[in-house]
Amino acid sequence: AAAAAAAATAAVGRKQKVTPIKKEACRLMRLFVFGNVCSTEEIDEDEAITATIGTRDEVASVYGVWAQLDANKSGRTDLKEFREFARRYVRLKRPALKGTADFGGDDIETFVHKLCDKVERLLLSKKSSFVMEDMMRLLWPAAVSPQLKTMSQWARETAEAARKEKIPAPPVLPMEEFEGLVSIFRLYDDKKSGKLTFDQLIKLGVLHDYQLEQYRREWDHSGDGLLDLLEFCEMMCPAGFRAHPGARVGSLADGRKVFFDSLLLCWRLEDGACELNSNGSKLIRTP
């Protein structure tokens, strides 16, 4: 990792030429992987497209997408697999992109068609499948070989972090207990609105005033200041379970909170994180 980082540093200033077709492919792939072209408001689209190396967070996002795409762990994917995955991923995993504005006026099918056309023309003209580093070539078309190798190393370290952090998913709450929580929700929801306010829960004695902000942060997933049925059930779920099969939060039997990490694609403890030291040479754990 240290050698790769040194090589990437030495490559600073060297760039591949970004042709118009590579620029468009980069824009499409960035929308697909990151949800936007620019990672921060501080840079414009041209700066993002001509960047020669991504951040660790961006590379972790690339790994997260690739790990779902490469479900059979072969390390490669072909155009058919990519097209089928792209349709599912854009529809189900990137709801923020469903508005036509994010596709430049295109619907989902048109967007996927354009993306796959660029993948085929740039990655599959001389071979039948591509690897994660090829996807990085589209995301950072100005990158040269040492920088691509550095990002590939970061992706491997992300995969190792996922392996070390992974814990079994908490079991789903037994149906009779889940139905009990549903009954409680319906009892509290006397207006039949399908929502509960945190103020209601305080008045009912479910929460204390001092818990208000903490519980809003932890359980108001939609950010509307209200709890729907599933959010309420997740909040009230007993230790050692997750409330329902689709829940991405739960706890261990000892009460420690766990969640499904969508980047590392595994369940892990909420109170621990896997980080890399300054030169990226090894993994360290932080509380």
Side-chain angles (χ1 to χ4, degrees), residues 32-195:
F32 177 65
V33 174
F34 304 135
N36 49 57
V37 177
C38 305
S39 56
T40 68
E41 295 180 355
E42 284 72 35
I43 63 173
D44 60 28
E45 189 169 301
D46 284 339
E47 288 176 305
I49 289 173
T50 57
T52 56
I53 193 166
T55 65
R56 285 189 179 274
D57 285 344
E58 288 174 330
V59 172
S61 295
V62 177
Y63 167 77
V65 173
W66 180 264
Q68 295 174 74
L69 169 60
D70 183 28
N72 62 4
K73 310 300 181 187
S74 67
R76 307 192 70 87
T77 191
D78 60 24
L79 184 63
K80 180 182 177 182
E81 289 174 327
F82 180 77
R83 189 189 306 277
E84 291 174 353
F85 171 77
R87 287 193 181 112
R88 295 194 311 272
Y89 187 76
V90 171
R91 283 197 180 96
L92 301 177
K93 303 296 184 182
R94 313 300 299 191
L97 291 185
K98 288 186 177 178
T100 56
D102 293 300
F103 291 126
D106 293 333
D107 59 26
I108 290 175
E109 281 300 318
T110 303
F111 174 82
V112 171
H113 175 76
K114 288 182 176 180
L115 175 63
C116 290
D117 175 68
K118 298 301 183 293
V119 167
E120 184 175 23
R121 293 172 65 182
L122 293 174
L123 300 184
L124 299 174
S125 61
K126 297 181 180 179
K127 54 187 180 181
S128 61
S129 62
F130 63 93
V131 299
M132 180 168 54
E133 188 169 303
D134 292 323
M135 185 181 286
M136 292 178 179
R137 293 179 194 277
L138 295 187
L139 290 163
W140 292 280
V144 293
S145 180
Q147 294 154 340
L148 291 165
K149 289 184 182 301
T150 295
M151 290 189 285
S152 294
Q153 177 62 30
W154 290 349
R156 287 191 291 271
E157 289 165 354
T158 299
E160 178 66 9
R163 187 187 68 80
K164 290 188 174 184
E165 290 280 294
K166 184 176 181 178
I167 62 173
V172 176
L173 189 67
M175 181 56 68
E176 60 272 19
E177 294 190 47
F178 178 76
E179 290 175 348
L181 293 177
V182 172
S183 297
I184 294 171
F185 178 88
R186 289 175 176 163
L187 177 65
Y188 291 163
D189 182 23
D190 52 4
K191 295 181 180 179
K192 310 304 178 187
S193 65
K195 302 278 188 178

Side-chain angles (χ1 to χ4, degrees), residues 23 28 85 92 122 127 143 173 175 180 197 202 235 254 259:
K23 182 175 181 179
L28 293 168
F85 171 77
L92 301 177
L122 293 174
K127 54 187 180 181
L173 189 67
M175 181 56 68
T197 69
I202 290 174
M235 184 181 78
D254 61 9
F259 72 103

Side-chain angles (χ1 to χ4, degrees), residues 1-2 5 56 153-154 157 275-283:
R56 285 189 179 274
Q153 177 62 30
W154 290 349
E157 289 165 354
E275 296 184 354
L276 300 167
N277 65 13
S278 58
N279 62 16
S281 62
K282 67 178 181 179
L283 295 166

